[in-house]
Short mmCIF file of all heavy atoms in Angstrom, two decimals:
data_model
loop_
_atom_site.label_atom_id
_atom_site.label_comp_id
_atom_site.label_asym_id
_atom_site.label_seq_id
_atom_site.Cartn_x
_atom_site.Cartn_y
_atom_site.Cartn_z
N THR A 179 -10.61 0.43 9.18
CA THR A 179 -11.88 -0.17 9.54
C THR A 179 -11.66 -1.51 10.24
O THR A 179 -10.56 -2.05 10.22
CB THR A 179 -12.75 -0.39 8.29
OG1 THR A 179 -12.16 -1.35 7.46
CG2 THR A 179 -12.99 0.92 7.55
N GLN A 180 -12.71 -2.03 10.79
CA GLN A 180 -12.63 -3.30 11.51
C GLN A 180 -12.30 -4.46 10.58
O GLN A 180 -11.55 -5.37 10.94
CB GLN A 180 -13.92 -3.58 12.25
CG GLN A 180 -13.83 -4.76 13.18
CD GLN A 180 -15.09 -4.94 14.01
OE1 GLN A 180 -16.07 -4.24 13.82
NE2 GLN A 180 -15.07 -5.87 14.93
N SER A 181 -12.84 -4.43 9.36
CA SER A 181 -12.55 -5.51 8.41
C SER A 181 -11.08 -5.48 7.98
O SER A 181 -10.47 -6.53 7.78
CB SER A 181 -13.47 -5.43 7.19
OG SER A 181 -13.26 -4.24 6.48
N ASN A 182 -10.49 -4.29 7.85
CA ASN A 182 -9.07 -4.18 7.51
C ASN A 182 -8.20 -4.71 8.65
O ASN A 182 -7.18 -5.36 8.40
CB ASN A 182 -8.69 -2.74 7.18
CG ASN A 182 -9.19 -2.30 5.83
OD1 ASN A 182 -9.72 -3.10 5.06
ND2 ASN A 182 -9.06 -1.03 5.54
N GLU A 183 -8.59 -4.43 9.88
CA GLU A 183 -7.84 -4.93 11.04
C GLU A 183 -7.90 -6.45 11.10
O GLU A 183 -6.90 -7.11 11.39
CB GLU A 183 -8.40 -4.32 12.33
CG GLU A 183 -8.13 -2.86 12.49
CD GLU A 183 -8.82 -2.25 13.70
OE1 GLU A 183 -9.30 -3.01 14.58
OE2 GLU A 183 -8.91 -1.02 13.76
N LYS A 184 -9.06 -7.01 10.81
CA LYS A 184 -9.24 -8.46 10.81
C LYS A 184 -8.41 -9.09 9.69
O LYS A 184 -7.78 -10.13 9.89
CB LYS A 184 -10.72 -8.81 10.65
CG LYS A 184 -11.03 -10.27 10.77
CD LYS A 184 -10.79 -10.78 12.17
CE LYS A 184 -11.26 -12.21 12.28
NZ LYS A 184 -10.85 -12.82 13.52
N LEU A 185 -8.40 -8.46 8.52
CA LEU A 185 -7.61 -8.96 7.40
C LEU A 185 -6.13 -8.94 7.74
O LEU A 185 -5.41 -9.91 7.48
CB LEU A 185 -7.88 -8.13 6.14
CG LEU A 185 -7.09 -8.53 4.89
CD1 LEU A 185 -7.42 -9.97 4.47
CD2 LEU A 185 -7.40 -7.56 3.74
N LYS A 186 -5.65 -7.86 8.37
CA LYS A 186 -4.25 -7.77 8.76
C LYS A 186 -3.91 -8.85 9.78
O LYS A 186 -2.84 -9.47 9.71
CB LYS A 186 -3.96 -6.37 9.34
CG LYS A 186 -2.54 -6.16 9.77
CD LYS A 186 -1.56 -6.26 8.62
CE LYS A 186 -0.16 -5.95 9.09
NZ LYS A 186 0.85 -6.71 8.38
N GLU A 187 -4.79 -9.08 10.72
CA GLU A 187 -4.59 -10.13 11.72
C GLU A 187 -4.48 -11.50 11.05
O GLU A 187 -3.61 -12.31 11.40
CB GLU A 187 -5.74 -10.12 12.72
CG GLU A 187 -5.63 -11.12 13.82
CD GLU A 187 -6.83 -11.07 14.76
OE1 GLU A 187 -7.31 -9.96 15.06
OE2 GLU A 187 -7.29 -12.15 15.18
N MET A 188 -5.34 -11.77 10.09
CA MET A 188 -5.34 -13.06 9.39
C MET A 188 -4.07 -13.24 8.55
O MET A 188 -3.51 -14.34 8.51
CB MET A 188 -6.58 -13.20 8.52
CG MET A 188 -7.88 -13.22 9.30
SD MET A 188 -7.98 -14.56 10.49
CE MET A 188 -8.16 -15.95 9.43
N THR A 189 -3.62 -12.18 7.88
CA THR A 189 -2.41 -12.31 7.07
C THR A 189 -1.18 -12.48 7.96
O THR A 189 -0.26 -13.21 7.61
CB THR A 189 -2.22 -11.11 6.11
OG1 THR A 189 -2.19 -9.89 6.85
CG2 THR A 189 -3.34 -11.08 5.07
N ASP A 190 -1.18 -11.85 9.14
CA ASP A 190 -0.09 -12.06 10.10
C ASP A 190 -0.07 -13.50 10.59
O ASP A 190 1.00 -14.11 10.72
CB ASP A 190 -0.22 -11.11 11.29
CG ASP A 190 0.14 -9.67 10.96
OD1 ASP A 190 0.67 -9.42 9.84
OD2 ASP A 190 -0.09 -8.80 11.81
N GLU A 191 -1.25 -14.06 10.86
CA GLU A 191 -1.34 -15.45 11.30
C GLU A 191 -0.87 -16.40 10.20
O GLU A 191 -0.20 -17.40 10.49
CB GLU A 191 -2.77 -15.79 11.70
CG GLU A 191 -3.19 -15.17 13.02
CD GLU A 191 -4.62 -15.51 13.39
OE1 GLU A 191 -5.14 -16.55 12.95
OE2 GLU A 191 -5.21 -14.73 14.15
N PHE A 192 -1.22 -16.10 8.95
CA PHE A 192 -0.77 -16.92 7.84
C PHE A 192 0.75 -16.91 7.74
O PHE A 192 1.38 -17.95 7.57
CB PHE A 192 -1.39 -16.45 6.52
CG PHE A 192 -0.88 -17.21 5.33
CD1 PHE A 192 -1.40 -18.45 5.02
CD2 PHE A 192 0.12 -16.68 4.53
CE1 PHE A 192 -0.92 -19.17 3.93
CE2 PHE A 192 0.61 -17.39 3.44
CZ PHE A 192 0.08 -18.63 3.14
N GLU A 193 1.34 -15.72 7.86
CA GLU A 193 2.80 -15.61 7.81
C GLU A 193 3.44 -16.38 8.96
O GLU A 193 4.44 -17.07 8.77
CB GLU A 193 3.24 -14.16 7.84
CG GLU A 193 4.75 -14.01 7.71
CD GLU A 193 5.19 -12.57 7.61
OE1 GLU A 193 5.25 -12.06 6.50
OE2 GLU A 193 5.45 -11.97 8.67
N SER A 194 2.85 -16.31 10.12
CA SER A 194 3.35 -17.04 11.28
C SER A 194 3.32 -18.54 11.03
O SER A 194 4.28 -19.26 11.34
CB SER A 194 2.53 -16.68 12.52
OG SER A 194 3.04 -17.31 13.65
N LEU A 195 2.24 -19.03 10.45
CA LEU A 195 2.13 -20.46 10.11
C LEU A 195 3.16 -20.86 9.07
O LEU A 195 3.80 -21.90 9.18
CB LEU A 195 0.72 -20.77 9.61
CG LEU A 195 0.46 -22.20 9.16
CD1 LEU A 195 0.62 -23.17 10.32
CD2 LEU A 195 -0.92 -22.32 8.56
N PHE A 196 3.35 -20.00 8.07
CA PHE A 196 4.34 -20.26 7.03
C PHE A 196 5.75 -20.35 7.64
O PHE A 196 6.51 -21.27 7.33
CB PHE A 196 4.28 -19.14 5.98
CG PHE A 196 5.26 -19.31 4.86
CD1 PHE A 196 4.99 -20.16 3.80
CD2 PHE A 196 6.45 -18.60 4.87
CE1 PHE A 196 5.89 -20.31 2.77
CE2 PHE A 196 7.36 -18.73 3.83
CZ PHE A 196 7.08 -19.59 2.77
N VAL A 197 6.07 -19.42 8.51
CA VAL A 197 7.38 -19.41 9.18
C VAL A 197 7.54 -20.67 10.03
O VAL A 197 8.60 -21.29 10.05
CB VAL A 197 7.56 -18.14 10.02
CG1 VAL A 197 8.79 -18.22 10.91
CG2 VAL A 197 7.66 -16.91 9.13
N LYS A 198 6.48 -21.06 10.73
CA LYS A 198 6.53 -22.25 11.58
C LYS A 198 6.83 -23.49 10.74
O LYS A 198 7.69 -24.31 11.12
CB LYS A 198 5.22 -22.44 12.32
CG LYS A 198 5.20 -23.65 13.22
CD LYS A 198 3.90 -23.79 13.97
CE LYS A 198 3.94 -25.04 14.83
NZ LYS A 198 2.73 -25.19 15.62
N MET A 199 6.16 -23.64 9.62
CA MET A 199 6.39 -24.80 8.75
C MET A 199 7.82 -24.79 8.22
O MET A 199 8.47 -25.83 8.17
CB MET A 199 5.38 -24.80 7.60
CG MET A 199 3.97 -25.08 8.06
SD MET A 199 2.70 -24.83 6.79
CE MET A 199 3.25 -25.93 5.51
N TYR A 200 8.31 -23.63 7.85
CA TYR A 200 9.69 -23.51 7.36
C TYR A 200 10.69 -23.88 8.45
O TYR A 200 11.64 -24.62 8.21
CB TYR A 200 9.93 -22.09 6.86
CG TYR A 200 11.34 -21.83 6.43
CD1 TYR A 200 11.78 -22.26 5.19
CD2 TYR A 200 12.24 -21.20 7.26
CE1 TYR A 200 13.09 -22.06 4.78
CE2 TYR A 200 13.55 -20.98 6.87
CZ TYR A 200 13.97 -21.41 5.62
OH TYR A 200 15.27 -21.20 5.24
N LEU A 201 10.48 -23.36 9.65
CA LEU A 201 11.40 -23.65 10.75
C LEU A 201 11.38 -25.12 11.14
O LEU A 201 12.43 -25.70 11.42
CB LEU A 201 11.06 -22.79 11.97
CG LEU A 201 11.39 -21.31 11.87
CD1 LEU A 201 10.83 -20.56 13.07
CD2 LEU A 201 12.89 -21.09 11.75
N GLU A 202 10.20 -25.71 11.18
CA GLU A 202 10.11 -27.13 11.52
C GLU A 202 10.90 -27.97 10.54
O GLU A 202 11.62 -28.90 10.93
CB GLU A 202 8.65 -27.59 11.55
CG GLU A 202 7.88 -27.12 12.75
CD GLU A 202 6.41 -27.48 12.71
OE1 GLU A 202 5.88 -27.75 11.61
OE2 GLU A 202 5.80 -27.49 13.77
N LYS A 203 10.78 -27.65 9.27
CA LYS A 203 11.50 -28.41 8.25
C LYS A 203 13.00 -28.16 8.32
O LYS A 203 13.79 -29.10 8.28
CB LYS A 203 10.96 -28.03 6.86
CG LYS A 203 11.37 -28.97 5.79
CD LYS A 203 10.75 -30.33 6.03
CE LYS A 203 10.80 -31.16 4.78
NZ LYS A 203 10.39 -32.52 5.04
N SER A 204 13.39 -26.93 8.46
CA SER A 204 14.82 -26.62 8.45
C SER A 204 15.53 -27.07 9.73
O SER A 204 16.69 -27.46 9.67
CB SER A 204 15.05 -25.12 8.23
OG SER A 204 14.54 -24.37 9.31
N LEU A 205 14.85 -27.05 10.85
CA LEU A 205 15.48 -27.47 12.10
C LEU A 205 15.58 -28.98 12.22
O LEU A 205 16.39 -29.48 12.99
CB LEU A 205 14.75 -26.88 13.31
CG LEU A 205 14.91 -25.38 13.50
CD1 LEU A 205 14.08 -24.90 14.69
CD2 LEU A 205 16.37 -25.00 13.70
N THR A 206 14.78 -29.73 11.47
CA THR A 206 14.89 -31.19 11.52
C THR A 206 15.96 -31.70 10.56
O THR A 206 16.38 -32.84 10.67
CB THR A 206 13.55 -31.88 11.19
OG1 THR A 206 13.12 -31.46 9.90
CG2 THR A 206 12.50 -31.57 12.22
N MET A 207 16.40 -30.85 9.65
CA MET A 207 17.42 -31.26 8.70
C MET A 207 18.79 -31.38 9.37
O MET A 207 19.62 -32.16 8.96
CB MET A 207 17.49 -30.29 7.53
CG MET A 207 16.26 -30.36 6.64
SD MET A 207 16.08 -29.04 5.44
CE MET A 207 17.63 -29.01 4.62
N ASN A 208 19.02 -30.61 10.41
CA ASN A 208 20.27 -30.65 11.16
C ASN A 208 19.99 -31.21 12.55
O ASN A 208 18.84 -31.45 12.92
CB ASN A 208 20.87 -29.25 11.27
CG ASN A 208 21.23 -28.69 9.91
OD1 ASN A 208 21.67 -29.42 9.06
ND2 ASN A 208 21.01 -27.40 9.73
N GLU A 209 21.02 -31.37 13.33
CA GLU A 209 20.83 -31.84 14.70
C GLU A 209 20.02 -30.81 15.48
O GLU A 209 20.21 -29.62 15.34
CB GLU A 209 22.18 -32.09 15.36
CG GLU A 209 22.04 -32.77 16.70
CD GLU A 209 23.38 -33.22 17.27
OE1 GLU A 209 24.26 -33.60 16.48
OE2 GLU A 209 23.50 -33.18 18.49
N SER A 210 19.15 -31.28 16.33
CA SER A 210 18.30 -30.42 17.13
C SER A 210 19.11 -29.55 18.06
O SER A 210 20.17 -29.94 18.55
CB SER A 210 17.34 -31.28 17.95
OG SER A 210 16.60 -30.49 18.84
N LEU A 211 18.60 -28.37 18.33
CA LEU A 211 19.25 -27.47 19.28
C LEU A 211 19.24 -28.04 20.69
O LEU A 211 20.06 -27.68 21.53
CB LEU A 211 18.52 -26.12 19.30
CG LEU A 211 18.57 -25.30 18.02
CD1 LEU A 211 17.64 -24.10 18.14
CD2 LEU A 211 19.98 -24.84 17.74
N PHE A 212 18.31 -28.95 20.95
CA PHE A 212 18.12 -29.48 22.30
C PHE A 212 18.58 -30.93 22.43
O PHE A 212 18.20 -31.62 23.36
CB PHE A 212 16.65 -29.34 22.70
CG PHE A 212 16.19 -27.91 22.64
CD1 PHE A 212 15.42 -27.46 21.59
CD2 PHE A 212 16.54 -27.01 23.63
CE1 PHE A 212 15.00 -26.14 21.51
CE2 PHE A 212 16.13 -25.69 23.56
CZ PHE A 212 15.36 -25.25 22.51
N GLY A 213 19.39 -31.38 21.48
CA GLY A 213 19.92 -32.73 21.56
C GLY A 213 18.90 -33.78 21.19
O GLY A 213 17.89 -33.51 20.58
N LYS A 214 19.18 -35.00 21.61
CA LYS A 214 18.31 -36.13 21.27
C LYS A 214 17.70 -36.77 22.51
O LYS A 214 17.17 -37.85 22.46
CB LYS A 214 19.12 -37.20 20.51
CG LYS A 214 19.74 -36.72 19.23
CD LYS A 214 18.75 -36.80 18.11
CE LYS A 214 19.46 -36.43 16.80
NZ LYS A 214 18.56 -36.14 15.75
N GLY A 215 17.81 -36.13 23.65
CA GLY A 215 17.33 -36.70 24.90
C GLY A 215 15.82 -36.67 25.03
O GLY A 215 15.09 -36.21 24.16
N VAL A 216 15.36 -37.18 26.17
CA VAL A 216 13.94 -37.21 26.48
C VAL A 216 13.41 -35.78 26.54
O VAL A 216 13.99 -34.92 27.19
CB VAL A 216 13.70 -37.93 27.83
CG1 VAL A 216 12.23 -37.88 28.21
CG2 VAL A 216 14.21 -39.35 27.77
N GLY A 217 12.34 -35.52 25.86
CA GLY A 217 11.72 -34.19 25.89
C GLY A 217 12.28 -33.22 24.88
O GLY A 217 11.79 -32.09 24.78
N SER A 218 13.28 -33.61 24.12
CA SER A 218 13.88 -32.67 23.16
C SER A 218 12.87 -32.25 22.09
O SER A 218 12.89 -31.10 21.64
CB SER A 218 15.13 -33.26 22.52
OG SER A 218 14.83 -34.40 21.76
N ASP A 219 11.98 -33.17 21.70
CA ASP A 219 10.95 -32.82 20.72
C ASP A 219 10.01 -31.75 21.27
O ASP A 219 9.58 -30.86 20.55
CB ASP A 219 10.14 -34.05 20.31
CG ASP A 219 10.95 -35.03 19.47
OD1 ASP A 219 11.99 -34.61 18.92
OD2 ASP A 219 10.53 -36.19 19.36
N ILE A 220 9.70 -31.86 22.55
CA ILE A 220 8.82 -30.88 23.18
C ILE A 220 9.48 -29.52 23.22
O ILE A 220 8.88 -28.51 22.85
CB ILE A 220 8.42 -31.34 24.60
CG1 ILE A 220 7.58 -32.62 24.52
CG2 ILE A 220 7.67 -30.24 25.34
CD1 ILE A 220 7.33 -33.28 25.85
N TYR A 221 10.73 -29.47 23.67
CA TYR A 221 11.44 -28.20 23.72
C TYR A 221 11.63 -27.61 22.33
O TYR A 221 11.48 -26.39 22.13
CB TYR A 221 12.80 -28.35 24.40
CG TYR A 221 12.71 -28.47 25.89
CD1 TYR A 221 13.15 -29.62 26.54
CD2 TYR A 221 12.19 -27.44 26.66
CE1 TYR A 221 13.06 -29.74 27.91
CE2 TYR A 221 12.10 -27.54 28.03
CZ TYR A 221 12.54 -28.69 28.66
OH TYR A 221 12.46 -28.80 30.01
N ASN A 222 11.94 -28.45 21.37
CA ASN A 222 12.10 -27.97 20.00
C ASN A 222 10.79 -27.40 19.47
O ASN A 222 10.77 -26.34 18.83
CB ASN A 222 12.60 -29.10 19.09
CG ASN A 222 13.18 -28.60 17.80
OD1 ASN A 222 13.95 -27.64 17.79
ND2 ASN A 222 12.82 -29.24 16.71
N GLY A 223 9.68 -28.08 19.74
CA GLY A 223 8.37 -27.59 19.32
C GLY A 223 8.01 -26.27 19.97
O GLY A 223 7.48 -25.36 19.32
N MET A 224 8.31 -26.15 21.25
CA MET A 224 8.04 -24.89 21.96
C MET A 224 8.89 -23.75 21.39
O MET A 224 8.42 -22.62 21.24
CB MET A 224 8.31 -25.06 23.45
CG MET A 224 7.32 -25.97 24.14
SD MET A 224 7.79 -26.45 25.82
CE MET A 224 7.92 -24.88 26.64
N TYR A 225 10.14 -24.06 21.07
CA TYR A 225 11.03 -23.06 20.50
C TYR A 225 10.51 -22.58 19.14
O TYR A 225 10.44 -21.38 18.87
CB TYR A 225 12.43 -23.67 20.35
CG TYR A 225 13.43 -22.78 19.66
CD1 TYR A 225 13.95 -21.65 20.30
CD2 TYR A 225 13.87 -23.06 18.38
CE1 TYR A 225 14.86 -20.83 19.67
CE2 TYR A 225 14.79 -22.25 17.74
CZ TYR A 225 15.28 -21.14 18.39
OH TYR A 225 16.19 -20.33 17.76
N VAL A 226 10.12 -23.53 18.29
CA VAL A 226 9.61 -23.19 16.96
C VAL A 226 8.32 -22.38 17.08
O VAL A 226 8.13 -21.38 16.37
CB VAL A 226 9.40 -24.46 16.11
CG1 VAL A 226 8.58 -24.17 14.86
CG2 VAL A 226 10.73 -25.07 15.73
N ASP A 227 7.42 -22.77 17.99
CA ASP A 227 6.18 -22.02 18.19
C ASP A 227 6.45 -20.58 18.60
O ASP A 227 5.87 -19.65 18.05
CB ASP A 227 5.31 -22.70 19.26
CG ASP A 227 4.60 -23.94 18.75
OD1 ASP A 227 4.55 -24.15 17.53
OD2 ASP A 227 4.11 -24.71 19.61
N ALA A 228 7.33 -20.40 19.57
CA ALA A 228 7.64 -19.06 20.07
C ALA A 228 8.31 -18.21 18.99
O ALA A 228 7.96 -17.04 18.80
CB ALA A 228 8.54 -19.15 21.30
N LEU A 229 9.24 -18.81 18.28
CA LEU A 229 9.95 -18.07 17.23
C LEU A 229 9.03 -17.69 16.09
O LEU A 229 9.05 -16.54 15.62
CB LEU A 229 11.12 -18.92 16.73
CG LEU A 229 12.20 -18.23 15.93
CD1 LEU A 229 12.82 -17.08 16.71
CD2 LEU A 229 13.29 -19.24 15.56
N SER A 230 8.20 -18.61 15.64
CA SER A 230 7.29 -18.31 14.53
C SER A 230 6.25 -17.28 14.93
O SER A 230 5.89 -16.41 14.13
CB SER A 230 6.62 -19.57 14.01
OG SER A 230 5.79 -20.16 14.98
N HIS A 231 5.79 -17.34 16.18
CA HIS A 231 4.82 -16.35 16.66
C HIS A 231 5.46 -14.95 16.68
O HIS A 231 4.83 -13.97 16.30
CB HIS A 231 4.32 -16.73 18.05
CG HIS A 231 3.34 -15.76 18.62
ND1 HIS A 231 2.06 -15.66 18.16
CD2 HIS A 231 3.47 -14.84 19.60
CE1 HIS A 231 1.43 -14.71 18.84
NE2 HIS A 231 2.27 -14.20 19.71
N GLU A 232 6.69 -14.89 17.11
CA GLU A 232 7.39 -13.60 17.19
C GLU A 232 7.71 -13.04 15.80
O GLU A 232 7.67 -11.84 15.59
CB GLU A 232 8.69 -13.77 17.99
CG GLU A 232 9.36 -12.49 18.37
CD GLU A 232 8.52 -11.60 19.26
OE1 GLU A 232 7.77 -12.10 20.12
OE2 GLU A 232 8.62 -10.36 19.11
N MET A 233 8.01 -13.91 14.85
CA MET A 233 8.39 -13.48 13.51
C MET A 233 7.19 -13.19 12.61
O MET A 233 7.32 -12.50 11.61
CB MET A 233 9.28 -14.53 12.85
CG MET A 233 10.62 -14.68 13.52
SD MET A 233 11.59 -16.06 12.87
CE MET A 233 12.00 -15.45 11.25
N GLY A 234 6.03 -13.74 12.94
CA GLY A 234 4.84 -13.56 12.12
C GLY A 234 4.46 -12.10 11.98
O GLY A 234 4.37 -11.38 12.96
N GLY A 235 4.28 -11.65 10.75
CA GLY A 235 3.90 -10.26 10.48
C GLY A 235 5.08 -9.32 10.37
O GLY A 235 4.89 -8.12 10.18
N LYS A 236 6.29 -9.84 10.46
CA LYS A 236 7.46 -8.97 10.44
C LYS A 236 8.42 -9.26 9.28
O LYS A 236 9.44 -8.61 9.16
CB LYS A 236 8.22 -9.10 11.75
CG LYS A 236 7.40 -8.65 12.94
CD LYS A 236 8.13 -8.84 14.23
CE LYS A 236 7.21 -8.44 15.38
NZ LYS A 236 7.70 -8.88 16.65
N MET A 237 8.10 -10.23 8.45
CA MET A 237 9.02 -10.61 7.38
C MET A 237 8.63 -10.03 6.02
O MET A 237 9.39 -10.13 5.08
CB MET A 237 9.11 -12.13 7.30
CG MET A 237 9.70 -12.75 8.55
SD MET A 237 9.93 -14.51 8.42
CE MET A 237 11.08 -14.60 7.08
N GLY A 238 7.45 -9.48 5.91
CA GLY A 238 7.02 -8.86 4.66
C GLY A 238 5.98 -9.64 3.88
O GLY A 238 5.23 -9.06 3.10
N LEU A 239 5.91 -10.94 4.08
CA LEU A 239 4.92 -11.75 3.36
C LEU A 239 3.51 -11.33 3.74
O LEU A 239 2.63 -11.20 2.88
CB LEU A 239 5.13 -13.24 3.66
CG LEU A 239 4.13 -14.20 3.05
CD1 LEU A 239 4.21 -14.14 1.53
CD2 LEU A 239 4.39 -15.62 3.53
N SER A 240 3.30 -11.08 5.00
CA SER A 240 1.99 -10.65 5.49
C SER A 240 1.55 -9.34 4.84
O SER A 240 0.40 -9.20 4.43
CB SER A 240 2.05 -10.48 7.01
OG SER A 240 0.86 -9.94 7.50
N GLU A 241 2.46 -8.40 4.73
CA GLU A 241 2.12 -7.10 4.14
C GLU A 241 1.80 -7.22 2.65
O GLU A 241 0.84 -6.60 2.17
CB GLU A 241 3.28 -6.12 4.34
CG GLU A 241 2.99 -4.70 3.92
CD GLU A 241 1.84 -4.05 4.69
OE1 GLU A 241 1.64 -4.38 5.88
OE2 GLU A 241 1.13 -3.21 4.10
N ILE A 242 2.56 -8.03 1.94
CA ILE A 242 2.29 -8.24 0.51
C ILE A 242 0.92 -8.89 0.32
O ILE A 242 0.13 -8.46 -0.53
CB ILE A 242 3.40 -9.10 -0.13
CG1 ILE A 242 4.72 -8.33 -0.16
CG2 ILE A 242 3.00 -9.57 -1.52
CD1 ILE A 242 5.92 -9.18 -0.51
N LEU A 243 0.65 -9.91 1.10
CA LEU A 243 -0.64 -10.60 1.02
C LEU A 243 -1.79 -9.66 1.39
O LEU A 243 -2.83 -9.63 0.73
CB LEU A 243 -0.63 -11.83 1.93
CG LEU A 243 -1.81 -12.77 1.87
CD1 LEU A 243 -2.01 -13.31 0.46
CD2 LEU A 243 -1.63 -13.91 2.84
N TYR A 244 -1.59 -8.88 2.43
CA TYR A 244 -2.61 -7.91 2.89
C TYR A 244 -2.93 -6.92 1.77
O TYR A 244 -4.10 -6.68 1.47
CB TYR A 244 -2.13 -7.18 4.14
CG TYR A 244 -3.05 -6.07 4.57
CD1 TYR A 244 -4.21 -6.34 5.28
CD2 TYR A 244 -2.77 -4.75 4.24
CE1 TYR A 244 -5.07 -5.32 5.67
CE2 TYR A 244 -3.62 -3.72 4.61
CZ TYR A 244 -4.76 -4.02 5.33
OH TYR A 244 -5.61 -3.01 5.71
N GLN A 245 -1.91 -6.33 1.17
CA GLN A 245 -2.13 -5.34 0.10
C GLN A 245 -2.85 -5.97 -1.08
O GLN A 245 -3.77 -5.35 -1.65
CB GLN A 245 -0.80 -4.74 -0.34
CG GLN A 245 -0.20 -3.83 0.69
CD GLN A 245 1.18 -3.33 0.30
OE1 GLN A 245 1.73 -3.71 -0.74
NE2 GLN A 245 1.77 -2.48 1.14
N HIS A 246 -2.46 -7.18 -1.44
CA HIS A 246 -3.12 -7.87 -2.57
C HIS A 246 -4.60 -8.12 -2.27
O HIS A 246 -5.46 -7.86 -3.11
CB HIS A 246 -2.39 -9.18 -2.87
CG HIS A 246 -3.03 -9.98 -3.94
ND1 HIS A 246 -2.95 -9.64 -5.27
CD2 HIS A 246 -3.79 -11.11 -3.89
CE1 HIS A 246 -3.61 -10.52 -5.99
NE2 HIS A 246 -4.12 -11.42 -5.18
N LEU A 247 -4.88 -8.64 -1.08
CA LEU A 247 -6.26 -8.97 -0.73
C LEU A 247 -7.10 -7.70 -0.53
O LEU A 247 -8.30 -7.69 -0.84
CB LEU A 247 -6.30 -9.84 0.53
CG LEU A 247 -5.74 -11.24 0.35
CD1 LEU A 247 -5.66 -11.96 1.69
CD2 LEU A 247 -6.55 -12.05 -0.65
N GLU A 248 -6.50 -6.65 -0.03
CA GLU A 248 -7.23 -5.39 0.16
C GLU A 248 -7.66 -4.80 -1.19
O GLU A 248 -8.77 -4.29 -1.33
CB GLU A 248 -6.36 -4.40 0.93
CG GLU A 248 -7.10 -3.14 1.33
CD GLU A 248 -6.23 -2.19 2.10
OE1 GLU A 248 -5.05 -1.99 1.72
OE2 GLU A 248 -6.74 -1.61 3.06
N GLU A 249 -6.76 -4.90 -2.18
CA GLU A 249 -7.10 -4.41 -3.53
C GLU A 249 -8.25 -5.21 -4.14
O GLU A 249 -9.08 -4.66 -4.83
CB GLU A 249 -5.89 -4.50 -4.45
CG GLU A 249 -4.79 -3.50 -4.13
CD GLU A 249 -3.54 -3.72 -4.96
OE1 GLU A 249 -3.55 -4.59 -5.86
OE2 GLU A 249 -2.55 -3.02 -4.70
N LYS A 250 -8.25 -6.54 -3.88
CA LYS A 250 -9.28 -7.41 -4.45
C LYS A 250 -10.62 -7.25 -3.75
O LYS A 250 -11.66 -7.54 -4.33
CB LYS A 250 -8.85 -8.88 -4.36
CG LYS A 250 -7.62 -9.21 -5.15
CD LYS A 250 -7.93 -9.20 -6.62
CE LYS A 250 -6.67 -9.61 -7.38
NZ LYS A 250 -6.86 -9.49 -8.81
N GLY A 251 -10.57 -6.83 -2.46
CA GLY A 251 -11.76 -6.77 -1.62
C GLY A 251 -12.73 -5.73 -2.00
O GLY A 251 -13.86 -5.71 -1.91
#
C-alpha cells in the first residue's frame, strides 16, 4: 500500500541519516581523505553525503525499523 511505501521511504531516510552521522564522526577522528587544504571540508562533506545516501536502506537497520513500525501500525 501507499502508507507502507511511505514508511519504507522514511525508514531508509532515517538509516541514511544515521550512517551520515556515524561517518562524519568516524572520518573526523583520523586525517581527512582530502587533506587539510582549502575546500577539504566541502569535499569531505560531499563525500559523506554521497556515501550515506548510497548506503541508506542497505545496512539492515531500515528493515528492522520498518518491520517493527509496521507491526505497531
Side-chain angles (χ1 to χ4, degrees):
T179 67
Q180 189 174 5
S181 63
N182 286 352
E183 291 173 14
K184 186 68 174 170
L185 179 61
K186 180 63 176 147
E187 182 181 321
M188 296 301 289
T189 57
D190 286 350
E191 287 179 25
F192 176 80
E193 183 175 271
S194 183
L195 178 63
F196 180 81
V197 169
K198 180 179 179 178
M199 292 171 57
Y200 176 79
L201 288 173
E202 286 175 339
K203 194 65 163 172
S204 65
L205 290 176
T206 57
M207 291 168 51
N208 297 323
E209 188 171 326
S210 173
L211 295 172
F212 303 102
K214 300 276 186 195
V216 176
S218 64
D219 290 343
I220 295 170
Y221 284 118
N222 197 45
M224 291 169 59
Y225 175 72
V226 167
D227 284 345
L229 196 57
S230 65
H231 179 72
E232 191 62 35
M233 293 173 70
K236 297 177 183 166
M237 296 184 62
L239 177 63
S240 174
E241 187 61 31
I242 292 169
L243 187 58
Y244 174 80
Q245 289 175 357
H246 177 74
L247 292 173
E248 188 180 42
E249 289 174 5
K250 297 288 183 186

